[in-house]
């Protein structure tokens, strides 16, 4: 087949395939044009998920008659002062958006520049341009796109449902709204009730206001301000505490020089920074803004401009990790799900009138029709009675059901009043231990319940990290090596990583097929279960790959060792031991949660307790 020049319309439709993937792509390109035009207000309207109609109106600088004629020509742009593609300071610069949209849809542009006495209008249908005619419009631009992909009906088959496409448009506007809190946005359409985000004040406070409007009040409550700067690169924004997480990474919003991006480098840095705080299956919610010289980042990697490439990727990653870790450490205790409100939501009962049922209202912990009489705690012989709104007293013969036995630790409140110097400490003075697992301490204005295993696990983990950073982990040589029998595949996996384990003071050797000899263990762990520790380490190593940084692998080892070397649930502690654990928690960074992301303690103020009993 001979080589031939493609017609202009075919060329435009090929280009449209790269730029206009779906209705949300059209909205993105047009809203970015409005932002580049200096708009202070942008209104977005869609119909049929953007398939039937998209309308974008802004109060930006607008275009003159001559500029309007050029705007629908391929590779015509007002975003570049010269041909230097390394100096890109705007969101759009390719000059392909409007001609690409016009080649696959019915495009109408009405615009007015301040130098013009009136507005001008132009339409493009399937690549065919109309004459420019006078029109009526205030300063700014209005762009309407009707019958998207009518000129390329095959593309319609690949679109999702109208609801899905509408949600994709909403996500695009949300991201652009987060990037520019100084601009007011309105999003309306048949698929949704109108949403308006008013322009926010400049600075961090205004940015948090916009993020709270878009991401919800929960994010505003849990948001931690983060910032880091070096060599002209600035990383700033807000990160949610580990108490607020998602089941996927869709709650991570990343911006580079005001451009929303999905960059693997930044996502990896966020995951690394939160590794010590969250369970494996949970993801943080963050909004990070990276600002640097335009010459240090390539925004021309992808036609949709959603990917970037950094000249110094290592510096950007290091700044993100440092900013997040510093912010999380600064708010270490607040970052856990240990507030009074969280505790109240966990066990506050809600009575359902007429159903004779009590149901917990904490994220569906119990079914709405749960009957408390089926509870294991329901006293034998008691017969509840309802007077329509309140529960009467239990029958007298059922009172024996409340006999719970003696205390789990010998801490008699009337004999050992809390020391004045301890009760004013953040975690108070230990008063008792229940179920040989939880420490109850008293503060000046409330009480604290501590999970002794989770708390000690964090303490041991932080000690291991500190010891490793200073002079290496101290070892203890076993008088008689501990022989652990495991399958051959696991033995090979452990021996392959023996050097990394040795960094943390765990020295192992092969002891024939299917066995490992443990010769040294970290001193911090005391008498550890070598068999259980090695099996857990092997399970973690099975998930590793060579791309996982050595630092991250070492921290996985430290976290596993800390779990095996901490105080176990079920161990009875003396009052002195409980108070010592509380003081260690107060001096340990990130003590609000264990290495797996679970809270180490729950704090209830007296006001919270009074709410439970209806006193306020």
């Amino acid at each position: 087949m001979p080589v031939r020049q493609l017609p202009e319309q075919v060329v435009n439709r090929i280009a449209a395939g790269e730029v206009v993937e779906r209705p949300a792509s059209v909205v993105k390109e047009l809203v970015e044009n409005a932002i580049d035009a200096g708009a202070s207000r942008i209104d977005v309207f869609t119909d049929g998920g953007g398939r039937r109609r998209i309308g974008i109106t802004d109060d930006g600088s607008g275009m003159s008659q001559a500029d309007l004629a050029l705007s629908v020509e391929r590779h015509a742009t007002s975003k570049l002062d010269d041909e230097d593609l390394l100096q890109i300071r705007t969101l759009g610069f390719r000059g392909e958006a409007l001609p690409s949209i016009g080649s696959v849809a019915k495009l109408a542009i009405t615009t007015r520049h301040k130098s013009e006495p009136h507005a001008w209008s132009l339409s493009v249908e399937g690549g065919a341009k109309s004459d420019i005619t006078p029109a009526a419009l205030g300063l700014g631009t209005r762009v309407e796109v009707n019958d998207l992909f009518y000129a390329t009906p095959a593309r319609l088959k690949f679109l999702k449902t109208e609801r899905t496409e509408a949600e994709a448009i909403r996500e695009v506007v949300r991201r652009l709204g987060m990037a520019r809190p100084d601009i007011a946005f309105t999003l309306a359409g048949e698929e949704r009730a109108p949403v308006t985000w008013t322009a926010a004040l400049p600075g961090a406070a205004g940015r948090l206001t916009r993020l709270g409007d878009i991401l919800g009040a929960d994010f505003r409550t849990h948001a931690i301000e983060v910032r880091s700067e070096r060599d002209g690169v600035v990383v700033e924004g807000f990160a949610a505490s580990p108490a607020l997480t998602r089941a996927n990474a869709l709650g991570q919003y990343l911006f580079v020089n005001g451009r929303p991006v999905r960059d693997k480098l930044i996502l990896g840095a966020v995951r690394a920074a939160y590794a010590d705080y969250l369970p494996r299956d949970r993801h943080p919610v963050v909004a990070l803004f990276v600002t640097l010289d335009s010459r240090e980042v390539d925004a021309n990697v992808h036609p949709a401009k959603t990917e970037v490439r950094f000249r110094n990727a290592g510096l950007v990653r290091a700044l993100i990790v440092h900013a997040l870790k510093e912010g999380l450490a600064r708010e270490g205790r607040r970052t856990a799900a240990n507030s009074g409100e969280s505790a109240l939501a966990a066990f506050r009962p809600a009575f359902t009138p007429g159903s004779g049922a009590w149901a917990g209202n904490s994220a569906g912990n119990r079914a709405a029709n749960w009957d408390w009489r089926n509870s294991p705690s329901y006293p034998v012989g008691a017969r509840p009675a309802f007077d329509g709104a309140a529960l009467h007293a239990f029958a007298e013969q059922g009172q024996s059901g409340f006999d719970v036995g003696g205390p789990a630790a010998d801490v008699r409140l009337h004999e050992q009043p809390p020391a004045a110097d301890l009760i004013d400490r953040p975690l108070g003075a230990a008063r008792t231990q229940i179920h040989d697992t939880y420490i109850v301490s008293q503060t000046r204005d409330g009480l604290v319940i501590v999970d002794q295993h989770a708390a000690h696990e964090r303490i041991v983990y932080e000690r291991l990290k500190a010891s490793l950073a200073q002079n290496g982990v101290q070892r203890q040589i076993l008088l008689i090596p501990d022989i652990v029998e495991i399958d051959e595949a696991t033995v090979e996996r452990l021996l392959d990583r023996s050097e990394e384990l040795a960094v943390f003071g765990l020295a192992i050797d092969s002891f024939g097929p299917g066995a490992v000899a443990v010769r040294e263990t970290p001193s911090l762990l005391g008498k550890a279960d070598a068999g259980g520790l090695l099996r857990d380490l092997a399970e973690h190593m099975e998930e590793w790959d060579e791309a996982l940084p050595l630092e991250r692998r070492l921290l996985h080892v430290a976290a596993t060792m800390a779990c095996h070397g901490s105080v176990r649930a079920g161990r009875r502690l003396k009052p002195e031991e409980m108070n010592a654990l509380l003081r260690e928690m107060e001096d340990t960074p990130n003590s609000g949660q264990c290495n797996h992301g679970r809270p180490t303690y729950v704090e209830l103020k007296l006001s919270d307790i009074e709410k439970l009993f209806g006193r306020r």
Side-chain angles (χ1 to χ4, degrees), residues 133-193:
T133 58
L137 185 72
L139 186 65
T141 303
R142 181 177 65 241
V143 181
E144 292 188 8
V145 179
N146 295 292
D147 297 334
L148 184 61
F149 296 132
Y150 91 98
T152 54
R155 296 297 298 273
L156 290 172
K157 300 177 182 178
F158 294 93
L159 294 184
K160 308 292 185 182
T161 63
E162 291 185 2
R163 184 183 186 89
T164 302
E165 296 296 342
E167 181 58 31
I169 291 173
R170 181 173 178 270
E171 184 64 18
V172 164
V173 178
R174 278 160 50 98
R175 289 180 180 273
L176 291 170
M178 283 186 269
R180 293 298 301 269
D182 57 317
I183 300 176
F185 286 85
T186 297
L187 177 61
E190 290 187 359
E191 305 89 358
R192 67 181 71 84

Side-chain angles (χ1 to χ4, degrees), residues 27-42 56-61 79 89-92 172-173 175-185 257-260:
V27 173
K28 175 180 179 295
E29 295 289 346
L30 296 181
V31 173
E32 286 180 349
N33 283 345
I35 293 174
D36 288 339
S40 62
R41 180 177 185 83
I42 301 174
I56 312 288
T57 303
D58 69 74
D59 61 353
S61 60
K79 315 295 180 66
R89 299 185 179 89
T90 57
L91 298 178
V172 164
V173 178
R175 289 180 180 273
L176 291 170
M178 283 186 269
R180 293 298 301 269
D182 57 317
I183 300 176
F185 286 85
N257 287 346
R259 185 189 308 279

Side-chain angles (χ1 to χ4, degrees), residues 56 76 110 165 175 194-195 219 327 354 380 448 499 519 558 581 592 611:
I56 312 288
T110 304
E165 296 296 342
R175 289 180 180 273
V195 178
F219 181 82
V380 178
V448 176
E499 292 184 3
R519 303 190 182 280
L581 182 62
K611 287 179 184 178

